[in-house]
Amino acid sequence: MTTAAAPPPKYAVGSLVHARGREWVVLPDSTEDLLVLRPLGGADVDIAGVLPGLETVVPATFAPPTPGDLGDQHTAGLLRTALRIGFRAGAGPFRSLASIAVDPRPYQLVPLMMALRQDTVRLLIADDVGIGKTVEAGLIAAELLAQGDARGLVVLCSPALAEQWRAELRGKFGIDARLVLPATIGRLERDTPYGQSVFRPDGAYVVSTDFIKSPRHREDFLNNCPDLVIVDEAHTCVADSTAQVSARTSQQRYGLLCALADDATRHLLLVTATPHSGKEEPFRRLLGLLDARLATVGFESRAGRELLAQFFVQRRRADIREDFQDGAHFPSSRDTVEVSYALHRDYRALLAEVLAYARETVRSADGALQQRQRWWSTLALLRTLSSSPAAAVRSLNTRAGVQEADTPDEVDRTGQVTVSDPADTDSAQSADEVPGSLLPTATSTTEETGSDGPDGLDAEEKARLVAMAEAARKLAGPTRDTKLKKLVAMVTDLLDSGYRPIVFCRYIATSDYVAGHLKKVLNKKGTEHPVAVASVTGELSPDMRLNRIAELTGADENGEPAPERRVLVATDCLSEGVNLQESFDAVIHYDLAWNPTRHEQREGRVDRFGQRTDTVKALTLYGADNPVDDIVLKVLLRKHDRIRRATGISVPVPQQAESAMQAVFEELILSGETPSFEQEGLFEREQLPAAEQLELAWESSAEQEKASRSLYAQNRIKKEDVATEVAEIRAALGTGEEVREFTRRALGALRGVPADRKQGGFTAHIDALPQGLRDAVTAALGPRHPSPVVFHDAPSAPRGEVALTRTDPVVAATARFVLDTALDEKFPAWQRPARRCGVIRTDAVRRPTTMLLVRHRFQLSLPTRDGEIRPQLAEDARVLAFQGRPEAPQWLPDEEALALLEARATGNSDPGFATDHIASILAALDTGLMDELRLRSKTAATELEASHHRVRAAARARLAGLKAVPQGDPDVLGVFLYRPAVTIQLGADA
């Protein structure tokens, strides 16, 4: 059974109608029975549905200006810019660019062009950390939704990143998504009619991947999932078939993605900065989700590379650096430094005691199972003691997780997750708990377990552990903890140099310990410049983490700005996904990660697009006489950095890294001796030492990665292919300089009292703005924004401040207010900085010259992927000018017409004289002038078609049926007459 299509509307998309006492523009999705309308000059929030059968709807025309509504020399420019900033249905070939709150860089449009080439979009976007994968995925989603090629959207991500994804979709792309998490599902189900699914194919959702993969919700999700899916951190959804870490979880996620990908009509965007973790099989599985051929095809062949290039895009920072030469905020360099400290003698003595204890307990274990358990528990103790006294004390008072394992393999799986930082672990979101080292806890008494209990620990051994815990407790504080003392000096130096650091720790106990001491030391009595310090760990929910960061970096209850001297101490729960570049510009690795990728992720929180500091800092703190730090530095971190500097590529840790690290620690703990029951050692080895094996494998991976850059390089689409179109769209919607000048001038006229800042941009007060604009600005910035409001000459701005771009909510609200008041003469004169008419005396012209501000509306017919034609609204503003009388106009080239906007008045015009002249020009609109404007509208439609043809041809998209048709007569928004400053001759032209 088929459903009959709705009859076409009586009014074409883009035509004007009068209803409910005002004029409206007809929008797409209108039918004969229901018109979807937007007020003329209104915003998307004002869109309404009108039933012609129940309400009176008649054709309308745009009212011409009133001759007496005269403005000054700035009127025309303000009106034109306000009109163009307000466009949300721009005439360019990318339908979504006019309605999104982001100004994409040229390289970010390459994935969009790749998507437009495909009938069903399947892409793996694998750009480096911090260069805009979220924006690239959002651009594709916004364009598919705008063109009608997708009905709905779902983002699958970690629950810790869900709120950020929702904020990005809403703030940058105008997509209002619902959160589907364990904490929200109950409310969503209560709000859903009985028997219906929480999910709708035309809805927008941000969903926890681990929540939705559960059997209870999986089938309902698959049956009602929207046709566009974005998978964030997609590498966590696949695992090597031999992987020991989180294999079951990864397999469940992978099964979910396979089920989604089985629908050949579903668009699928996979997003990750680490698609290849050093293992080929997971990478191939990831690619196989996009196209089954990619799972097996050889990339050494030309055919294989061409196939891969259709689905995979990966750019490094060096590849896109030139795109940030226009003043956009992106760090030019990252200053990395290693800083060492020497252990206090008491700390060194305890570390030696722990090593001796580890050696004794591992060697005396009874069988392979107990040996593995003791191996991991003592390794946990070594790592926590290297982190902080607080972490060591916590570990010595916590039962080891490996105690519950029943087999050596299970012990290794548990130990790798809780103690190491394996490359194929799910994420750092919940891995910051201190691992226990007790077998059992040190609080057990002899009476409870006997002198030789089932755990194998007697009272003497337990007393030894208790003594170590007490010794660790006494090390707390900068006197004996020289690592903490060195950190205080590092943080002080950074703060004094104007930096705002993040201190990354491995464990919750260490983060809280460090934050507490920093607060005390940096804010001693009499301190001239107090420092704000906060700790954020996995102990907090994702929402609580964001709130704590906002408390540290945002304005207080009185609107006072956040302190410039601030320090964030955090665990790796913040090392992925959370953007901190607006408030911080330096990273200190207080604890060394046992995976170099984790360091890259940490530094990527500040070294990313939107960072205002040109050189960010990354400092690595290590113990010069700490053997644990020595192993991690030499075996992993320095080799990774050396390869990155030599190749320009961050090469993932090879698969051998985990076994190599275990073997090296075995040498440390056992001092080169082998246990009596297993002559081959705890872990299998080849003939070469483990560290050398790892280095050879890593260098081999680096060579393969260098070669793969040519294999994976996206050469089929050049950003230059779309650069011309993007430049034209930006010019049509308002250049950056134009937006800055408009906003400053408009706020000045509206009593905002703008004042220049030394750092660029300006500040403005909103208290005296007109009520409507003041409410809109407050809604955009939030109630606790700083006062005065800061406006930045940049494409991004911190929370509570304004970026001087056309899509910033405050700039858009200002433009909408200026346009609304220009069209409505009922507003008080001071609230109308733009007017629709003007007569200007200027020495920029030699003859009387008339400028018209005209708006064209088009019905744009776009072919869709299913073979249908979808009508769209497109709008364009043009400046036209002619010399002489309106009855015999001599039309000027476009560039001369635009130049009139820069003309400066050199004299005044009599209001009566000006009104008469404007009236005569308006009268001519009913005769010959309108014929010329209609012709210009047809020419603009032809140009619009041509631009769509160029982009679609470059993207190999379908072209049949593409057409642009003007709707009605062009709207004349403004009429401005420029007269010579000095009358040279009398006569008709005088």
Side-chain angles (χ1 to χ4, degrees):
M1 178 179 178
T2 59
T3 303
K10 177 180 178 182
Y11 300 100
V13 171
S15 60
L16 294 184
V17 297
H18 182 88
R20 300 180 182 177
R22 65 189 306 182
E23 280 67 45
W24 307 75
V25 180
V26 179
L27 298 181
D29 298 324
S30 294
T31 66
E32 187 176 280
D33 299 322
L34 174 65
L35 291 179
V36 181
L37 307 175
R38 189 190 67 209
L40 198 58
D44 287 347
V45 294
D46 303 317
I47 291 174
V50 175
L51 299 172
L54 300 178
E55 300 182 64
T56 301
V57 180
V58 297
T61 57
F62 187 74
T66 301
D69 188 24
L70 300 171
D72 59 19
Q73 60 178 333
H74 304 298
T75 291
L78 284 172
L79 183 61
R80 174 176 179 259
T81 305
L83 173 65
R84 298 194 303 159
I85 289 175
F87 278 160
R88 291 298 178 265
F94 299 109
R95 301 298 302 143
S96 60
L97 289 193
S99 59
I100 61 176
V102 62
D103 187 11
R105 318 306 297 177
Y107 75 88
Q108 291 175 322
L109 292 168
V110 170
L112 174 58
M113 292 289 288
M114 294 173 64
L116 294 178
R117 286 186 170 188
Q118 302 177 354
D119 286 332
T120 299
V121 178
R122 297 286 174 99
L123 287 180
L124 172 53
I125 303 174
D127 289 343
D128 263 356
V129 172
I131 64 177
K133 294 182 297 298
T134 301
V135 169
E136 292 167 351
L139 283 170
I140 295 172
E143 190 67 20
L144 293 178
L145 292 169
Q147 292 193 13
D149 286 325
R151 295 177 58 203
L153 166 68
V154 62
V155 176
L156 296 176
C157 65
S158 156
L161 303 180
E163 183 57 54
Q164 179 169 312
W165 261 104
R166 181 171 72 163
E168 291 277 308
L169 290 175
R170 177 188 295 164
K172 293 182 177 177
F173 301 101
I175 300 172
D176 195 7
R178 304 173 79 182
L179 287 180
V180 183
L181 306 169
T184 65
I185 190 63
R187 175 177 52 80
L188 293 174
E189 290 177 337
R190 288 192 297 271
D191 294 343
T192 302
Y194 178 77
Q196 296 185 18
S197 172
V198 166
F199 299 99
R200 291 175 39 181
D202 60 350
Y205 308 91
V206 177
V207 181
S208 163
T209 309
D210 283 339
F211 172 72
I212 212 63
K213 69 177 173 54
S214 66
R216 178 186 172 192
H217 301 286
R218 185 178 187 271
E219 290 308 312
D220 175 53
F221 173 66
L222 291 174
N223 291 334
N224 297 280
C225 180
D227 54 0
L228 170 57
V229 176
I230 298 174
V231 183
D232 191 27
E233 303 296 345
H235 63 281
T236 65
C237 298
V238 292
D240 189 351
S241 59
T242 62
Q244 294 182 326
V245 182
S246 305
R248 182 169 178 268
T249 297
S250 294
Q251 289 167 4
Q252 289 178 331
R253 295 173 183 168
Y254 180 64
L256 176 67
L257 294 196
C258 286
L260 290 171
D262 283 344
D263 183 347
T265 65
R266 176 168 286 119
H267 307 296
L268 184 62
L269 301 178
L270 306 179
V271 180
T272 174
T274 53
H276 199 299
S277 62
K279 303 178 182 180
E280 184 70 10
E281 184 182 345
F283 179 56
R284 290 290 189 156
R285 287 188 174 191
L286 206 58
L287 292 174
L289 293 168
L290 308 176
D291 189 295
R293 294 171 293 175
L294 292 172
T296 57
V297 69
F299 297 144
E300 296 78 13
S301 68
R302 179 177 179 181
R305 292 195 298 271
E306 289 183 348
L307 178 65
L308 179 65
Q310 297 176 37
F311 301 95
F312 182 76
V313 58
Q314 182 178 43
R315 278 80 54 89
R316 305 298 185 184
R317 289 170 176 267
D319 300 332
I320 54 89
R321 184 71 64 182
E322 64 186 41
D323 275 19
F324 293 92
Q325 301 302 311
D326 59 354
H329 292 311
F330 194 82
S332 64
S333 63
R334 184 191 304 178
D335 184 10
T336 58
V337 179
E338 290 183 359
V339 180
S340 66
Y341 65 93
L343 291 170
H344 186 277
R345 61 179 180 275
D346 293 345
Y347 217 125
R348 192 163 50 249
L350 179 57
L351 185 58
E353 167 66 10
V354 169
L355 276 170
Y357 169 77
R359 183 176 304 116
E360 294 170 18
T361 55
V362 172
R363 292 172 59 187
S364 63
D366 183 13
L369 174 62
Q370 190 178 76
Q371 188 175 51
R372 291 285 212 281
Q373 290 172 335
R374 292 193 171 190
W375 162 265
W376 285 111
S377 66
T378 55
L379 194 59
L381 180 54
L382 278 171
R383 188 169 191 189
T384 54
L385 182 58
S386 296
S387 176
S388 70
V393 170
R394 182 67 178 268
S395 181
L396 283 164
N397 284 278
T398 305
R399 180 183 293 271
V402 295
Q403 174 72 9
E404 308 300 326
D406 296 323
T407 66
D409 285 345
E410 188 178 347
V411 172
D412 288 343
R413 286 195 295 271
T414 303
Q416 288 170 21
V417 171
T418 57
V419 180
S420 299
D421 300 328
D424 55 355
T425 190
D426 295 343
S427 76
Q429 300 294 344
S430 57
D432 52 4
E433 283 285 355
V434 171
S437 57
L438 283 192
L439 298 168
T441 62
T443 55
S444 300
T445 63
T446 302
E447 290 75 17
E448 290 174 320
T449 62
S451 61
D452 190 8
D455 46 57
L457 298 181
D458 57 22
E460 181 181 351
E461 190 168 355
K462 291 173 185 175
R464 187 178 183 184
L465 292 173
V466 171
M468 285 193 288
E470 183 59 28
R473 189 175 289 109
K474 292 179 179 179
L475 295 175
T479 300
R480 291 185 175 87
D481 186 356
T482 52
K483 179 181 180 182
L484 178 64
K485 181 178 180 181
K486 176 63 74 172
L487 175 71
V488 172
M490 294 166 65
V491 168
T492 301
D493 288 345
L494 286 171
L495 292 172
D496 290 345
S497 299
Y499 281 88
R500 297 158 298 175
I502 306 172
V503 180
F504 275 107
C505 305
R506 179 63 174 82
Y507 301 115
I508 295 171
T510 301
S511 181
D512 292 342
Y513 163 79
V514 167
H517 280 282
L518 286 178
K519 285 180 185 177
K520 185 186 303 182
V521 175
L522 297 177
N523 294 290
K524 290 180 178 178
K525 186 175 182 181
T527 301
E528 184 177 357
H529 301 291
V531 179
V533 181
S535 173
V536 175
T537 68
E539 204 168 38
L540 304 175
S541 70
D543 285 345
M544 293 172 68
R545 297 173 203 170
L546 296 178
N547 289 338
R548 184 162 294 184
I549 294 171
E551 291 171 0
L552 179 66
T553 62
D556 63 18
E557 296 177 354
N558 300 319
E560 293 296 323
E564 278 300 309
R565 293 172 66 86
R566 55 178 175 262
V567 181
L568 174 62
V569 186
T571 63
D572 286 310
C573 71
L574 293 185
S575 69
E576 293 183 79
V578 181
N579 299 332
L580 300 170
Q581 72 275 18
E582 294 178 353
S583 303
F584 301 94
D585 47 18
V587 163
I588 297 175
H589 302 288
Y590 188 75
D591 289 333
L592 304 182
W594 290 10
N595 181 354
T597 301
R598 189 65 55 79
H599 279 227
E600 288 284 334
Q601 292 168 336
R602 291 173 176 179
E603 293 166 14
R605 297 312 96 214
V606 300
D607 188 4
R608 61 195 304 114
F609 177 55
Q611 175 60 257
R612 285 174 175 73
T613 303
D614 188 57
T615 299
V616 297
K617 297 271 191 180
L619 291 79
T620 300
L621 182 60
Y622 71 97
D625 50 356
N626 183 334
V628 176
D629 283 359
D630 186 60
I631 289 173
V632 176
L633 271 175
K634 289 180 178 178
V635 176
L636 289 178
L637 299 181
R638 286 176 179 163
K639 289 179 182 177
H640 176 269
D641 188 59
R642 178 175 58 80
I643 292 173
R644 181 178 61 81
R645 291 177 185 275
T647 64
I649 304 169
S650 180
V651 181
V653 181
Q655 190 169 353
Q656 297 93 325
E658 185 66 30
S659 59
M661 287 289 288
Q662 291 173 350
V664 174
F665 276 118
E666 178 187 347
E667 293 174 4
L668 169 68
I669 292 176
L670 300 179
S671 296
E673 300 180 27
T674 57
S676 58
F677 80 97
E678 187 180 4
Q679 294 301 317
E680 292 80 12
L682 285 174
F683 300 93
E684 294 183 2
R685 302 185 194 177
E686 302 293 337
Q687 293 182 354
L688 284 173
E692 293 183 31
Q693 294 176 42
L694 175 59
E695 184 167 9
L696 289 174
W698 214 335
E699 289 177 349
S700 175
S701 295
E703 292 303 317
Q704 293 175 11
E705 186 76 11
K706 286 178 66 177
S708 73
R709 293 190 73 180
S710 62
L711 298 180
Y712 301 160
Q714 180 45 256
N715 296 318
R716 303 184 67 185
I717 296 178
K718 304 291 187 183
K719 60 189 179 185
E720 293 79 9
D721 292 343
V722 294
T724 300
E725 310 303 333
V726 174
E728 290 182 0
I729 293 170
R730 287 175 175 168
L733 299 175
T735 64
E737 182 58 37
E738 199 176 347
V739 170
R740 287 189 285 271
E741 178 65 19
F742 163 83
T743 307
R744 197 183 197 289
R745 191 178 298 280
L747 291 176
L750 294 169
R751 303 177 180 176
V753 195
D756 290 332
R757 301 172 69 236
K758 291 181 179 178
Q759 308 93 317
F762 59 88
T763 60
H765 297 265
I766 70 166
D767 296 341
L769 295 178
Q771 180 73 43
L773 179 56
R774 185 168 69 248
D775 291 345
V777 172
T778 300
L781 297 179
R784 293 171 58 182
H785 62 79
S787 182
V789 176
V790 178
F791 290 74
H792 293 275
D793 284 330
S796 62
R799 288 185 301 272
E801 300 180 5
V802 181
L804 286 166
T805 61
R806 62 175 299 277
T807 51
D808 184 276
V810 173
V811 174
T814 304
R816 190 160 56 248
F817 184 85
V818 169
L819 182 60
D820 288 346
T821 57
L823 298 176
D824 190 345
E825 298 179 28
K826 298 186 184 70
F827 280 86
W830 74 272
Q831 295 186 17
R832 303 182 66 226
R835 305 295 176 90
R836 298 182 65 187
C837 300
V839 176
I840 299 100
R841 287 277 188 181
T842 177
D843 53 14
V845 299
R846 292 178 175 272
R847 299 179 60 197
T849 303
T850 301
M851 184 181 74
L852 304 177
L853 178 57
V854 176
R855 174 173 55 195
H856 302 289
R857 284 170 285 105
F858 310 97
Q859 177 173 296
L860 178 63
S861 299
L862 293 179
T864 61
R865 299 168 193 269
D866 55 12
E868 296 183 357
I869 302 297
R870 178 178 174 83
Q872 301 268 353
L873 169 66
E875 297 176 301
D876 192 15
R878 298 292 179 97
V879 174
L880 310 176
F882 63 84
Q883 290 182 338
R885 297 190 303 272
E887 297 82 7
Q890 299 174 21
W891 294 95
L892 301 179
D894 290 345
E895 57 270 17
E896 293 185 28
L898 288 171
L900 293 173
L901 294 170
E902 306 300 323
R904 294 292 176 259
T906 56
N908 298 320
S909 296
D910 176 72
F913 173 87
T915 299
D916 291 342
H917 275 67
I918 295 295
S920 67
I921 297 170
L922 292 173
L925 287 174
D926 296 329
T927 56
L929 284 183
M930 186 55 70
D931 290 338
E932 177 66 22
L933 299 187
R934 295 187 186 107
L935 181 61
R936 298 294 182 103
S937 194
K938 292 179 180 178
T939 301
T942 302
E943 294 171 352
L944 175 58
E945 280 186 26
S947 66
H948 274 271
H949 270 274
R950 285 194 299 272
V951 167
R952 286 176 168 256
R956 298 180 185 174
R958 65 203 65 76
L959 295 169
L962 195 159
K963 191 171 184 61
V965 179
Q967 293 300 306
D969 288 339
D971 303 331
V972 179
L973 281 91
V975 177
F976 304 91
L977 176 62
Y978 294 84
R979 296 180 58 80
V982 178
T983 302
I984 299 175
Q985 62 181 16
L986 298 176
D989 289 341

